[in-house]
Amino acid sequence: MTSTSTSTSPSPSNSTAPSALKPAHKEDSVLRIALNLTAACLISGLFIAGTYFLTHDTAVQKEAELQALTLKSMVTEADSYKNVAGKPDWYIASKAGKIIAYIVPAESKGYGGAIKMLVAVTPDGVVKNFNILDSKETPGLGDKASKPQFSGQLLGKSAEHLTVTKDPSDKEDIMAISGATITSRAVTLGVKNAVAEVAQFVKEGGS
């Protein structure tokens, strides 16, 4: 009797399945990463937007309070401060309805760069007060411009006497800071320009 043997061929599908699944796994992985990144971006965006929404009003209020304190420090006796129409960053300081001073921005070039100031000028063109807001002048020299020994000289001065001098006998003008003449002239010029601007504004009938 002759025996016959049968051989079983491997199923084609079994041999091709693993290689066919690999691209699908890879595509699925890339898609998952993309979805995760998108979700992270959306969450971050929502968080930032939510934080801005919650803190924006507080920040605006704090800025307004700081501005009010700054204006009050410039003209302490005033009971009202209002913007000047058509003049950005200009303010009128009044008491009982009477204008005491105009508070205006000023800028001049010093030894270390721009010197930014606020200047309070009376309607008749006299310096009532000024404050240096930003300066990069030399520490120990130019930064003395904000000290009373120098800044006090400018108070009560009209434009004609806002001139820097090195003559100790000249009591009418502004004595320069020793070693910082450029800064002295820059601050004095910035204040003088503010006085001139206010004088022109008042002359034209501004209020």
Side-chain angles (χ1 to χ4, degrees):
M1 183 168 57
T2 306
S3 61
T4 59
S5 61
T6 58
S7 61
T8 305
S9 301
S11 171
S13 60
N14 290 341
S15 61
T16 58
S19 59
L21 288 173
K22 285 182 182 178
H25 282 304
K26 186 175 181 180
E27 290 174 4
D28 181 62
S29 177
V30 171
L31 180 60
R32 190 178 298 277
I33 292 172
L35 289 173
N36 288 339
L37 288 173
T38 302
C41 289
L42 285 172
I43 293 171
S44 297
L46 289 172
F47 178 77
I48 292 171
T51 302
Y52 176 81
F53 177 77
L54 293 172
T55 61
H56 177 66
D57 289 346
T58 301
V60 170
Q61 181 181 351
K62 291 294 182 184
E63 184 177 350
E65 290 174 357
L66 180 60
Q67 184 182 69
L69 287 172
T70 300
L71 295 176
K72 184 67 177 175
S73 70
M74 295 293 296
V75 186
T76 55
E77 66 269 37
D79 57 22
S80 172
Y81 306 88
K82 68 176 184 178
N83 295 92
V84 177
K87 291 283 189 179
D89 300 322
W90 278 47
Y91 295 88
I92 293 175
S94 305
K95 183 177 182 180
K98 182 180 179 181
I99 297 175
I100 299 174
Y102 295 89
I103 302 173
V104 303
E107 183 173 325
S108 188
K109 185 178 180 181
Y111 181 78
I115 300 175
K116 298 180 180 181
M117 299 170 278
L118 269 182
V119 186
V121 184
T122 64
D124 56 349
V126 172
V127 180
K128 187 170 184 62
N129 200 357
F130 80 95
N131 185 17
I132 297 177
L133 303 176
D134 185 48
S135 168
K136 296 179 177 62
E137 300 304 279
T138 307
L141 290 174
D143 64 351
K144 290 181 180 179
S146 61
K147 306 296 183 184
Q149 186 175 356
F150 175 78
S151 63
Q153 298 182 82
L154 284 76
L155 306 187
K157 290 283 197 298
S158 56
E160 62 181 313
H161 291 299
L162 289 172
T163 302
V164 173
T165 180
K166 291 185 178 181
D167 180 4
S169 65
D170 184 352
K171 304 300 182 183
E172 296 295 321
D173 298 323
I174 311 301
M175 176 61 62
I177 300 168
S178 179
T181 304
I182 293 175
T183 302
S184 303
R185 287 174 176 163
V187 171
T188 303
L189 178 61
V191 172
K192 186 173 185 176
N193 288 342
V195 170
E197 286 186 59
V198 170
Q200 185 64 31
F201 180 73
V202 172
K203 183 179 179 180
E204 294 173 354
S207 61

